[in-house]
Amino acid sequence: MTTVPTINDITLAELSENPYPIYARLRKQAPIAWVPAANIILVTRFDTIKYIDTHPEFFPAFNPQSLQIRAMGHSMMRKDGEDHRLERAVLQKSVNSDTIQGYWMPRFERIVDELIDGFRDKCEADLFTDFAAPMASLCLMEILGLTNVNWQDLCDWSQTLMDAVGNYGDDPQIWARQQQVSSLIDKALDQMIEIKRATPDPTFISQMANSETLSLEQIRANVKVIIGGGINEPRDATCTALYGLLSNPEQLSLVREQPSEPMWGKVFEEAIRYCAPIGMYPRRVAKDMELEGVALKRNDQLGLVVASACHDEKYWDHGDRFDINRKRCTHLAFGTGPHLCLGFRTARMQVGQLSVPSLIARLPGLRLNPEKAARFGGWVFRGPLSLPVKWNL
């Protein structure tokens, strides 16, 4: 048994620029490693991460040092056991299969079509800012039930909360902005709670406001978690899927020739494997133990790098390539175990059935703009920062 190795030559800037070569090195040389720049022990192999996520008795989600709790309050994402199950059960009613297909899909389809109608005649756009960001924000406003704000503010709030959750460098300006945004969210939420109590519907806020088990503090924390993760996942998955297809003409031709739901499902799953929108999340060590030959101490902070797990050589050859023809293998982009992402079915519908197929179908000759390169960034949360494209009338 060895102590946790320390890797000093990794910087946050390098991780944000392109973390995947760093992850490959860690998987090979130090799959459980203390990285001082991130102030956390990074775990980078698929099997180890899956073991941790499916054994919450040894690696609980609750952590009094959690940046997420500091940024958003104590939501269900940082709870374990019965406390977690009870809160999740309240929200689950909004995203079961019947509600997604019968209630949310028509509303999301209208949003997608109206956004495309707004720029279709221009023949050029940045699909990150002109489509994916407003699409994800408008859809989240609907499913959350926070319709008394505008989509631009919700995008800004989401990014501010994500910056705070990923603030491993402890930047005081990020915390100051987080506090401002938190107050704005609380004000908007308090208004909608009263409305939803009077007129219940399938939205998240309605389900929580009309539950007899959740306090105002619990509602506020869970709403902030949903705002944080509910925009970046569908936004970034949409842009990543499009980037992958437009960068690989033979794969683009294949989905155009076979535009079936299973084919679009492959596109979605490969996109979030190729670039997991949530690249890392934390867990705490409950007691002194040995893991993969490494000695861990009680209250050690672990960062489960699912973005690395999704490129693990044991399961994927050439994991840095976008390839919808891969043999199906379960990835960890949605996590696993009791904290499997609550919105995974909604994201599959939103991206795999609506946003990406609609753009490919309605923008003839859609292609990357050769004069403006697409940009990716981030590591705790990673995705395209811009996706300039052109198409024909």
Side-chain angles (χ1 to χ4, degrees):
M1 185 167 58
T2 63
T3 58
V4 178
T6 298
I7 308 297
N8 285 306
D9 62 345
I10 295 174
T11 68
L12 294 181
E14 290 171 333
L15 284 167
S16 183
E17 179 66 24
N18 182 8
Y20 289 103
I22 296 171
Y23 297 158
R25 176 164 70 100
L26 290 176
R27 285 194 303 272
K28 183 178 180 180
Q29 299 177 357
I32 301 174
W34 167 253
V35 177
N39 195 33
I40 200 167
I41 297 171
L42 296 185
V43 183
T44 48
R45 285 184 183 166
F46 182 102
D47 290 341
T48 313
I49 291 172
K50 184 176 181 180
Y51 177 82
I52 291 171
D53 246 351
T54 52
H55 289 80
E57 66 274 22
F58 301 139
F59 307 99
F62 172 67
N63 179 0
Q65 300 180 40
S66 167
L67 294 182
Q68 186 181 97
I69 293 177
R70 179 177 176 182
M72 302 175 177
H74 196 179
S75 74
M76 65 176 180
M77 285 189 67
R78 291 295 165 259
K79 294 182 180 180
D80 300 286
E82 190 68 1
D83 289 342
H84 169 259
R85 189 194 66 78
L86 289 173
E87 289 190 30
R88 186 180 175 102
V90 173
L91 294 169
Q92 189 69 53
K93 301 171 186 177
S94 298
V95 288
N96 60 48
S97 297
D98 289 343
T99 305
I100 289 171
Q101 294 299 319
Y103 192 86
W104 297 121
M105 188 169 180
R107 287 163 171 76
F108 288 8
E109 186 174 21
R110 172 182 52 80
I111 290 169
V112 167
D113 286 341
E114 289 178 355
L115 285 171
I116 296 175
D117 288 343
F119 62 74
R120 187 170 180 267
D121 293 340
K122 296 180 180 179
C123 295
E124 181 176 345
D126 183 335
L127 290 181
F128 180 91
T129 55
D130 296 329
F131 176 79
M135 178 275 298
S137 187
L138 288 165
C139 288
L140 183 64
M141 288 168 59
E142 288 287 332
I143 197 168
L144 188 56
L146 199 68
T147 52
N148 58 336
V149 302
N150 62 60
W151 73 261
Q152 294 93 338
D153 282 343
L154 200 65
C155 276
D156 177 65
W157 295 350
S158 177
Q159 189 59 56
T160 297
L161 292 174
M162 291 297 93
D163 289 344
V165 171
N167 189 19
Y168 287 89
D170 202 27
D171 185 334
Q173 293 184 346
I174 292 177
W175 290 123
R177 176 60 181 156
Q178 171 269 323
Q179 291 177 4
Q180 294 173 351
V181 163
S182 185
S183 295
L184 292 172
I185 294 172
D186 289 345
K187 182 178 179 181
L189 173 59
D190 289 349
Q191 181 182 31
M192 291 310 302
I193 286 175
E194 295 305 313
I195 293 173
K196 298 301 182 182
R197 281 178 175 158
T199 56
D201 58 33
T203 63
F204 281 132
I205 291 175
S206 180
Q207 296 297 329
M208 290 188 287
N210 290 288
S211 167
E212 297 179 357
T213 60
L214 298 186
S215 66
L216 178 60
E217 180 183 4
Q218 289 172 301
I219 296 173
R220 286 177 170 177
N222 283 309
V223 164
K224 288 166 188 172
V225 162
I226 294 166
I227 290 174
I231 289 181
N232 76 298
E233 288 187 13
R235 178 197 66 197
D236 296 350
T238 292
C239 289
T240 297
L242 289 165
Y243 176 81
L245 290 174
L246 300 181
S247 300
N248 294 275
E250 71 289 348
Q251 296 182 50
L252 179 60
S253 296
L254 184 61
V255 298
R256 281 177 168 160
E257 293 167 3
Q258 305 176 32
S260 63
E261 188 171 320
M263 180 61 73
W264 288 117
K266 288 183 179 181
V267 173
F268 173 75
E269 299 297 339
E270 176 63 2
I272 61 172
R273 182 214 63 82
Y274 172 73
C275 184
I278 297 180
M280 187 274 282
Y281 50 83
R283 289 292 182 265
R284 178 174 58 88
V285 179
K287 63 179 182 179
D288 293 356
M289 65 175 65
E290 178 183 345
L291 181 65
E292 303 289 339
V294 175
L296 298 176
K297 297 180 180 179
R298 181 176 179 270
N299 289 330
D300 275 350
Q301 311 301 309
L302 306 181
L304 307 192
V305 190
V306 291
S308 172
C310 289
H311 285 225
D312 194 322
E313 295 80 2
K314 181 176 178 180
Y315 296 95
W316 291 279
D317 293 331
H318 306 291
D320 58 341
R321 298 179 187 175
F322 181 91
D323 184 2
I324 63 173
N325 296 309
R326 291 181 184 278
K327 181 180 178 181
R328 180 66 183 270
C329 184
T330 302
H331 57 70
L332 295 180
F334 286 125
T336 189
H339 284 275
L340 176 71
C341 177
L342 180 69
F344 76 94
R345 291 189 183 92
T346 309
R348 283 172 174 157
M349 175 273 288
Q350 188 175 354
V351 178
Q353 293 181 252
L354 293 178
S355 67
V356 177
S358 297
L359 288 164
I360 296 295
R362 297 193 58 196
L363 303 179
L366 183 64
R367 59 196 181 273
L368 295 175
N369 188 335
E371 300 166 0
K372 300 176 183 178
R375 295 185 298 113
F376 283 69
W379 71 284
V380 177
F381 305 96
R382 184 170 180 82
L385 303 175
S386 66
L387 187 63
V389 298
K390 291 185 174 184
W391 60 91
N392 308 322
L393 277 178

